[in-house]
Amino acid sequence: MARSNRTEYAILGLLAREPMSGYDIRNVAEEQLGHFWHESFGHIYPVLKRLHERGWVDKRIEEGRGGPPRHEYSITDEGASALRDWFGEPIEPMPPRNELLLRVFLGRFADRDDLVARIREYRGVRASALARFEAIQDQIDRESTDHPDHTFWMLTLSAGVHAARSAVAWCDEALAELEATS
Amino acid sequence: MARSNRTEYAILGLLAREPMSGYDIRNVAEEQLGHFWHESFGHIYPVLKRLHERGWVDKRIEEGRGGPPRHEYSITDEGASALRDWFGEPIEPMPPRNELLLRVFLGRFADRDDLVARIREYRGVRASALARFEAIQDQIDRESTDHPDHTFWMLTLSAGVHAARSAVAWCDEALAELEATS
DNA sequence: ACGACCATGTAAGGGGTTACATGATTAG
DNA sequence: CTAATCATGTAACCCCTTACATGGTCGT
């Protein structure tokens, strides 16, 4: 039941870096956390409200700028302390749900061509992710080696590279196997 | 909104292998799909009911055996056809949610020791998974090379091995990095 | 004029987990 | 005697996504 709310801490963490609006949070999440995290508007706004009620974030409203007023949120001391505590807690693993592997496992009931097509699709996605990660690695290394987040960015990128490389390797192995025994 | 119901096909696929009860499905899922898929009782029973109403599975009730009667489900022709169709559909990727990487990304706000502890925990989990997968690979190769599912089992296991190996490699890299700049 | 971007939020609803309720059989 | 296994199912509940509602500004 408890199912700790990971979105709360994701948002809190982003606000620890700099004050932002819900809209900004969404964009930052997409651009910078995109390969390992996701947040949608429909969830961000209610969570932000909750965080505010709890006193973990402050809210400042920018009025008079056409369209709805912008709500800028910033982390409070209480929020920062909650964030620090969170890092101390063990991570409860998510129950796995890998649909590609489910299909492969049940592959006996599939048309061989369908199976191959799915793996090829997946290989394409992962190969282009790999190229993207490597490009960003180069870029960050050229531009911002002294940023306080540098080490952490590089580590998450490296995780992406490792995962994508092994995914591509597995796809190649699987495709070879399935095409050999076609 | 659609959000195709992956549980339906997981269950259907297991019933395609052999007729089973909800209880059996849970056990098979845990033992054989455990490393890439998960199902809980609270979800299996309602889905099974839905599948039956839709005519994708048949139900046979074994009465008089102490405790609640056992419901044995088997796939119908309609169900088998729906399953085959499913393999033809592209896989809609799940939005990613990797809490360890989220924490690493926000690592600037963490105690270094907490971060290291989380990565070590994760490394332990993945390293023991790796050992388990390799043991099962050996076992299957010794015992059931002629099983109709052999190729597919080996492919899912190999995916597990690839993923676990790359996870362990990343952890070692990350730990070295974090301990060097402590 | 039109689309992209800025910006907030609500409503509906599905998918899935956990806890609860119930109870017989079997192995140690 | 007790714990594990067999076996079904419901209720509560949360997390999160998608779709909808609304509208101003800016670039082309």
Side-chain angles (χ1 to χ4, degrees):
Chain A
M1 202 190 281
R3 258 13 239 122
S4 71
N5 192 328
R6 294 160 331 276
T7 295
E8 287 181 358
Y9 291 100
I11 291 181
L12 208 54
L14 292 183
L15 292 179
R17 304 168 81 213
E18 58 178 328
M20 278 191 285
S21 68
Y23 189 85
D24 295 335
I25 288 171
R26 173 65 213 287
N27 287 344
V28 171
E30 193 151 296
E31 284 159 26
Q32 295 180 45
L33 320 182
H35 79 94
F36 58 86
W37 200 259
H38 180 257
E39 292 296 346
S40 58
F41 282 128
H43 204 204
I44 289 173
Y45 289 116
V47 168
L48 231 23
K49 196 175 161 190
R50 204 154 69 213
L51 253 25
H52 185 241
E53 281 160 7
R54 203 183 294 164
W56 287 6
V57 300
D58 275 338
K59 184 196 222 161
R60 196 177 56 86
I61 297 176
E62 254 170 75
E63 214 93 37
R65 33 169 293 294
R70 177 188 150 93
H71 301 333
E72 193 178 70
Y73 294 90
S74 51
I75 196 165
T76 61
D77 289 344
E78 244 187 289
S81 150
L83 183 63
R84 253 193 324 279
D85 290 347
W86 174 61
F87 285 106
E89 281 162 31
I91 296 172
E92 35 181 335
M94 290 268 290
R97 232 100 209 291
N98 183 326
E99 189 173 341
L100 180 61
L101 290 186
L102 176 62
R103 294 199 193 187
V104 170
F105 185 85
L106 299 172
R108 177 155 54 109
F109 308 105
D111 282 343
R112 189 60 60 103
D113 291 346
D114 285 338
L115 220 50
V116 167
R118 295 312 136 241
I119 296 173
R120 266 206 253 272
E121 279 161 12
Y122 182 65
R123 190 196 187 282
V125 170
R126 302 300 277 154
S128 70
L130 176 57
R132 207 164 56 247
F133 297 154
E134 286 173 333
I136 300 173
Q137 277 182 328
D138 288 353
Q139 194 198 327
I140 289 184
D141 254 347
R142 268 183 284 106
E143 289 173 15
S144 41
T145 34
D146 51 350
H147 193 285
D149 284 327
H150 179 259
T151 307
F152 304 110
W153 284 346
M154 292 309 272
L155 285 178
T156 58
L157 272 170
S158 161
V161 168
H162 272 97
R165 267 211 265 267
S166 85
V168 170
W170 174 78
C171 287
D172 288 337
E173 195 183 299
L175 289 169
E177 177 70 28
L178 291 177
E179 280 157 357
T181 60
S182 71
Chain B
M1 199 193 274
R3 253 26 230 114
S4 69
N5 193 327
R6 296 163 325 280
T7 295
E8 286 181 358
Y9 292 100
I11 291 180
L12 209 53
L14 292 183
L15 293 179
R17 304 168 82 213
E18 57 178 328
M20 276 190 286
S21 68
Y23 189 86
D24 294 335
I25 288 171
R26 173 65 212 287
N27 286 345
V28 171
E30 193 151 296
E31 284 159 27
Q32 295 181 46
L33 320 182
H35 79 94
F36 57 86
W37 200 259
H38 179 257
E39 292 298 344
S40 58
F41 282 128
H43 205 203
I44 289 173
Y45 289 117
V47 168
L48 232 21
K49 196 176 161 190
R50 204 153 70 215
L51 253 25
H52 185 241
E53 280 158 9
R54 203 182 294 161
W56 287 7
V57 301
D58 276 337
K59 185 195 218 161
R60 195 176 56 85
I61 297 175
E62 255 170 74
E63 213 91 40
R65 34 170 289 297
R70 176 187 151 93
H71 300 335
E72 194 179 69
Y73 294 90
S74 50
I75 196 166
T76 62
D77 289 345
E78 245 188 288
S81 151
L83 183 63
R84 254 192 325 276
D85 290 347
W86 174 62
F87 286 105
E89 281 162 31
I91 295 172
E92 36 183 336
M94 289 270 289
R97 234 102 207 290
N98 183 326
E99 189 173 340
L100 180 61
L101 290 185
L102 176 62
R103 294 199 193 188
V104 169
F105 186 86
L106 299 172
R108 177 154 56 106
F109 308 106
D111 283 343
R112 189 59 61 105
D113 291 346
D114 283 338
L115 221 50
V116 167
R118 294 313 136 241
I119 297 174
R120 266 206 252 273
E121 279 161 12
Y122 182 63
R123 191 197 186 281
V125 170
R126 302 301 278 153
S128 69
L130 176 58
R132 208 165 53 248
F133 297 153
E134 286 173 333
I136 300 173
Q137 278 182 328
D138 288 353
Q139 195 198 325
I140 289 184
D141 254 347
R142 267 183 286 106
E143 289 173 15
S144 41
T145 34
D146 51 350
H147 192 284
D149 283 327
H150 179 259
T151 308
F152 304 109
W153 284 346
M154 292 310 272
L155 284 178
T156 58
L157 271 170
S158 161
V161 168
H162 272 97
R165 267 210 266 267
S166 87
V168 169
W170 175 79
C171 287
D172 288 338
E173 194 183 301
L175 289 169
E177 178 70 29
L178 291 177
E179 279 156 359
T181 61
S182 72

